[in-house]
Each structure stands twice: as C-alpha cells, then as structure tokens.
C-alpha cells in the first residue's frame, strides 16, 4: 500500500498516525479518552526528551493534533495528558 503523505513524526511512526486519525473519528470525548491515553503513551515513549520539557503538555497535544490530520482538539488532548501526569505523580 502506498501512502499519499509523508509521516508526520518518524519517531512515533505511521501506525500511531493512523491510530490518531481513527481516534478523531470517534464522536464523543468519552469514547476518545481511553484511546487518547494510549496515543499519549506512544508519543511519550517516542519522545522521552520531552518528559522534562517546560511545554511538554502542549508539545504532546500539538503532535497528536498533527498526527490526526489536524482533527483532534489540542485542548482535549492537553486535559488527557494532565490527568495522566497527575495519576503518575508528575506535576
């Protein structure tokens, strides 16, 4: 299969990009939330250098937005990142 576009982020990869696009097709935040958590984990694993970055939440949200073809709302992703970080004991 040939893709019409180049990958947004090689470290995250094509599968995560397709996953993000699928998440964006879900119709409610409640349905998207568990999948956003998985996508956030994939991004976090691909970019460990962001873990201590001052704008980590915004970077992850923006990348998720880009991976989804600009369909995912960055505010929704940021909320999911903050909840995840709080659960893990991060600030």
């Amino acid at each position: 299969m040939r893709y019409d576009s180049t990958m947004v982020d090689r470290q995250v990869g094509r599968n995560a990009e397709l996953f993000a696009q699928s998440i964006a097709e879900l119709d409610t935040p409640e349905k998207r939330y568990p999948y956003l958590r998985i996508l956030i984990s994939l991004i976090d694993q691909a970019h460990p250098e962001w873990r201590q970055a001052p704008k980590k939440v915004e970077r992850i949200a923006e990348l998720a937005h880009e991976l989804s073809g600009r369909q995912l709302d960055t505010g929704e992703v940021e909320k999911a990142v903050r909840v995840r970080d709080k659960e893990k004991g991060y600030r």
Side-chain angles (χ1 to χ4, degrees):
M1 177 177 229
R2 196 177 134 245
Y3 294 98
D4 294 336
S5 62
T6 59
M7 279 189 286
V8 171
D9 186 304
R10 292 189 130 194
Q11 288 174 274
V12 177
R14 177 69 74 183
N15 286 338
E17 191 173 328
L18 295 171
F19 184 55
Q21 291 166 10
S22 295
I23 295 168
E25 292 174 5
L26 298 172
D27 58 354
T28 66
E30 292 79 17
K31 289 180 182 176
R32 287 188 295 271
Y33 181 75
Y35 302 104
L36 282 177
R37 293 281 302 246
I38 295 167
L39 179 62
I40 290 163
S41 291
L42 293 171
I43 293 170
D44 190 45
Q45 289 175 12
H47 289 286
E49 71 277 9
W50 291 358
R51 290 185 188 143
Q52 301 300 319
K55 301 250 180 194
K56 175 186 99 168
V57 172
E58 293 84 358
R59 283 182 176 186
I60 291 173
E62 184 57 35
L63 181 53
H65 178 71
E66 291 296 322
L67 290 170
S68 71
R70 306 186 73 70
Q71 297 176 72
L72 286 173
D73 178 66
T74 55
E76 183 179 342
V77 178
E78 286 178 10
K79 286 179 190 175
V81 173
R82 287 187 181 103
V83 168
R84 177 180 171 268
D85 284 357
K86 187 175 180 182
E87 289 172 358
K88 288 186 158 211
Y90 302 147
R91 7 172 166 154

